[in-house]
Amino acid sequence: MQNFDISTNSTSIPDKFIKNWQEIVNIMAEIINVPSGLIMRVSPPNIEVFVSSETKGNPYEVGEKAKLSGLYCTTVMQSQQSLIVQDALNDPEWNQNPDIKLGMISYLGFPISWPNGEIFGTVCVLDSKPNAYTDTYNELVGSFQKVIETDLELISRNNDLQEALMKIHTLESILPICSSCKKIHSEEGSWLPVDDYFRMSKGTEFTHGLCPECSQKMLDEIPDN
C-alpha cells in the first residue's frame, strides 16, 4: 500500500469535547458488547490512545503509544476507509498484528479527519473473540465518526476565529502615521492631526499643555532684550 501523508496537527482538544467523546466510546463498547472502544490520535511516528472506554476487560489506557506499523488503525488511516477484521488469528493478513498480544483479535474502525483533510486518527472497537460486526454496529460507529468530525470542525473554526481576532487586535494597535507631520491616516482615508483622530475615532477629549522639553525650547527661542 502506498505511503500517506500523516497530519502532525497538534491542535488542543477542549475538555468539554473529550468528555463527550468519552461518552461516545463508552456507548459504543456497551452497545456492541466488546471490551474496547477507542478514539486514537496519530502523532508520527506513533499513534496514541486518546480516549478509551471505561469497560471491563479493556487493556488500553489513555496516553499509551504504539508504532504505526502493522496496526489495524494504520490501515484505516492509510486507506481512509472503514475496516472490519472478524478474526485476526485466522487471517493471514492480520495474524501478526500487535493487538493480538493484548487479546484483541477482531476490529471495526473508521478514519477521523480534520476539516482540511488532515488525518486525526480513528474511532474503533475491538473484541477478544471473533466478531463479524453487524451492519447496525457498522452504522453506529460510522455515525460516531461523523459526530467527532463535526466536533473537529467546530474546534478548527473556533481556532481560526481566535487567530483572526488576534490579527485584528494587532492591526488596530498599529496606526499609519506620517513620518514628517505626524498626522494619522484614518479609516475614512483622510489625514488627521493626532488629537482630531483620537477625538473622532475613540471619543477622547484633549487638554493642551507643554512638556518640559518643549517649554525649555520655547524659552530658548525667546530673544534676549
Side-chain angles (χ1 to χ4, degrees), residues 113-158:
S113 298
W114 289 96
N116 63 0
E118 291 180 323
I119 298 170
F120 177 90
T122 65
V123 55
C124 58
V125 291
L126 300 99
D127 202 348
S128 56
K129 60 183 183 299
N131 195 326
Y133 299 105
T134 65
D135 290 342
T136 300
Y137 293 157
N138 193 65
E139 291 173 3
L140 176 68
V141 180
S143 296
F144 284 139
Q145 172 212 33
K146 294 180 176 63
V147 170
I148 296 167
E149 289 189 335
T150 299
D151 286 346
L152 291 178
E153 184 174 0
L154 290 173
I155 293 168
S156 182
R157 286 184 178 181
N158 183 64

Side-chain angles (χ1 to χ4, degrees), residues 103-218:
M104 298 294 105
I105 65 171
S106 66
Y107 173 92
L108 167 62
F110 281 75
I112 304 172
S113 298
W114 289 96
N116 63 0
E118 291 180 323
I119 298 170
F120 177 90
T122 65
V123 55
C124 58
V125 291
L126 300 99
D127 202 348
S128 56
K129 60 183 183 299
N131 195 326
Y133 299 105
T134 65
D135 290 342
T136 300
Y137 293 157
N138 193 65
E139 291 173 3
L140 176 68
V141 180
S143 296
F144 284 139
Q145 172 212 33
K146 294 180 176 63
V147 170
I148 296 167
E149 289 189 335
T150 299
D151 286 346
L152 291 178
E153 184 174 0
L154 290 173
I155 293 168
S156 182
R157 286 184 178 181
N158 183 64
N159 286 343
D160 290 343
L161 178 60
Q162 293 299 321
E163 289 180 5
L165 290 174
M166 290 180 63
K167 289 179 180 178
I168 290 172
H169 179 73
T170 300
L171 291 173
E172 286 181 340
S173 65
I174 300 175
L175 296 177
I177 187 168
C178 176
S179 59
S180 177
C181 68
K182 308 306 179 185
K183 288 182 179 179
I184 296 174
H185 192 240
S186 70
E187 295 178 357
E188 290 74 22
S190 57
W191 289 91
L192 302 172
V194 172
D195 51 352
D196 287 348
Y197 173 82
F198 280 97
R199 185 179 294 112
M200 293 177 62
S201 63
K202 310 296 183 182
T204 304
E205 293 297 332
F206 286 82
T207 60
H208 293 86
L210 287 173
C211 69
E213 289 80 4
C214 290
S215 296
Q216 185 60 50
K217 182 178 180 182
M218 290 183 68

